[in-house]
Amino acid sequence: MKVAGVMAARPKPQSVRLGLGDSTQNQNVSDLPNRVEAGDCFSAFMSNLSPYRTIAVASTFSPRFKQVLSEAKRIRDRFVSDLHVIYVGERNEETAKKFGDAFAQLQLPGNSTIHYEQGDPADAILRVLVEDKIDMIVAGALEKEIVLHRFLGNVARRLVREAACSVMLFTRPASEPKPLRRIVFVADYSEHALGALKTTLPLALAESCERLYVIRIITTFDQARASRRADAGNGNKPKSDEDEEAALEKFVLSAGATEVPIETRCIRGNTGLAASDFVQSIEADLLVVPVEANDASSGQLPNNIAWITDIIPCNLWVIR
């Protein structure tokens, strides 16, 4: 790709206020757009190298049925994927008509695959994901919402913990999906996270993302554990603030040139929930969390992001 220009000016450090008893930290903001000429970068990536050949949507005939299906269509279109529907319930003329009408309204292929399943909804969905080698599952997220906090429903929680594929959850699905203008990506410097960032960039570009925040979560527990390991001769001492910020910038630059405006932030707090506070403070539209696929087998997530299985601050994309 031809680089059209690189923004040389760096914005002044900004304050990130951390809640839940966490201190306010001044974090350097690195604006790393690495501008490239607008062209067919996105289309070429999606048509030839899309990581999601098959996307499924967990569907119920709830009041949000068509809204969730519409969000799934948006993601299917972005990644140029086949869309399957997973429905836990009986197959009959009524359900067939409802799906047929919805497909026609959303201009989805009338012969789209529908998996009719029986049994526990979460178990049935997880089974289809494995048996049919689904690459991503899209679903609604919420069970309830209580003053500033949105709580995952049981099915969504199990998908985040146990699905062997990527998961995208929508807290407030819409018939006419809202653009994902502000996206937050959680970085951990692993090869998997780098691949996940490269997957995120084309979607951010297609959504005309105004700002992609790449954040590093640093908790008091993480720092104490690193110090103990270093003292025992089993690891390195925790990075200084400057070293951590430099490492995060290097991580972002290693993903390659992009038109998407990027800021890096090191989020420090007593717990990983500091990241949730940050996500809410910027009114993010999508939180992206890379998780190694083998983590799904245990149903456990890394400590600094484990909170996403209970409280979801915005739409969530778990990349496996």
Side-chain angles (χ1 to χ4, degrees):
M1 292 181 291
K2 181 180 178 181
V3 178
V6 178
M7 184 176 293
R10 292 168 59 88
K12 295 179 180 179
Q14 299 179 7
S15 292
V16 181
R17 183 169 295 280
L18 306 180
L20 300 176
D22 300 316
S23 61
T24 300
Q25 301 278 350
N26 287 332
Q27 304 297 341
N28 288 335
V29 178
S30 304
D31 210 337
L32 306 169
N34 279 349
R35 298 289 178 180
V36 297
E37 289 183 341
D40 296 329
C41 172
F42 171 75
S43 299
F45 177 91
M46 290 307 179
S47 61
N48 298 322
L49 300 173
S50 175
Y52 303 120
R53 296 298 184 184
T54 306
I55 292 175
V57 54
S59 187
T60 64
F61 294 124
S62 69
R64 301 194 302 172
F65 161 59
K66 289 184 180 178
Q67 288 90 331
V68 173
L69 192 58
S70 182
E71 296 284 7
K73 178 183 182 296
R74 181 244 294 261
I75 301 304
R76 168 255 196 189
D77 291 345
R78 292 297 190 219
F79 287 104
V80 194
S81 309
D82 292 330
L83 182 64
H84 291 209
V85 176
I86 304 175
Y87 174 70
V88 181
E90 294 183 6
R91 178 177 182 175
N92 52 43
E93 291 184 7
E94 181 181 3
T95 58
K97 184 178 186 306
K98 286 182 178 179
F99 280 123
D101 291 344
F103 290 166
Q105 181 178 341
L106 296 175
Q107 297 182 324
L108 285 167
N111 62 349
S112 296
T113 301
I114 304 174
H115 302 268
Y116 291 88
E117 301 294 325
Q118 300 294 324
D120 177 81
D123 288 340
I125 294 169
L126 289 168
R127 182 173 61 249
V128 172
L129 298 183
V130 174
E131 291 178 353
D132 287 83
K133 298 180 180 179
I134 303 297
D135 298 310
M136 180 197 289
I137 178 70
V138 176
L142 297 187
E143 180 177 71
K144 57 185 176 181
E145 187 169 1
I146 302 176
V147 189
L148 301 181
H149 291 294
R150 303 184 184 108
F151 293 87
L152 281 183
N154 180 62
V155 173
R157 184 181 299 111
R158 288 195 59 190
L159 291 178
V160 170
R161 287 177 174 171
E162 301 175 38
C165 65
S166 294
V167 178
M168 190 172 287
L169 302 178
F170 287 91
T171 57
R172 293 177 178 173
S175 297
E176 296 183 4
K178 293 173 52 180
L180 304 171
R181 299 296 192 194
R182 289 176 293 278
I183 300 175
V184 176
F185 180 96
V186 179
D188 64 11
Y189 306 154
S190 67
E191 287 297 320
H192 175 69
L194 180 58
L197 179 58
K198 291 178 179 179
T199 298
T200 302
L201 289 173
L203 178 64
L205 183 63
E207 290 291 323
S208 300
C209 177
E210 297 171 355
R211 187 71 58 178
L212 171 61
Y213 298 86
V214 178
I215 69 171
R216 173 75 169 160
I217 304 172
I218 305 168
T219 68
T220 303
F221 174 79
D222 291 335
Q223 291 183 307
R225 180 175 58 182
S227 294
R228 288 196 301 270
R229 288 179 175 176
D231 292 341
N234 296 323
N236 299 320
K237 290 184 177 180
K239 291 184 176 70
S240 67
D241 290 356
E242 290 184 359
D243 288 343
E244 195 70 66
E245 289 156 4
L248 187 55
E249 287 190 16
K250 182 179 179 181
F251 171 80
V252 171
L253 289 171
S254 66
T258 178
E259 288 186 326
V260 179
I262 297 176
E263 287 186 14
T264 62
R265 299 282 186 102
C266 291
I267 307 296
R268 293 173 172 80
N270 292 331
T271 70
L273 276 171
S276 177
D277 293 341
F278 172 74
V279 169
Q280 293 182 78
S281 73
I282 64 165
E283 299 181 344
D285 300 301
L286 179 66
L287 173 63
V288 185
V289 181
V291 176
E292 295 283 357
N294 55 11
D295 289 340
S297 60
S298 65
Q300 300 296 319
L301 299 178
N303 290 329
N304 62 356
I305 59 169
W307 50 270
I308 65 172
T309 61
D310 292 314
I311 298 173
I312 179 171
C314 64
N315 301 322
L316 175 67
W317 183 11
V318 176
I319 299 183
R320 288 194 168 99

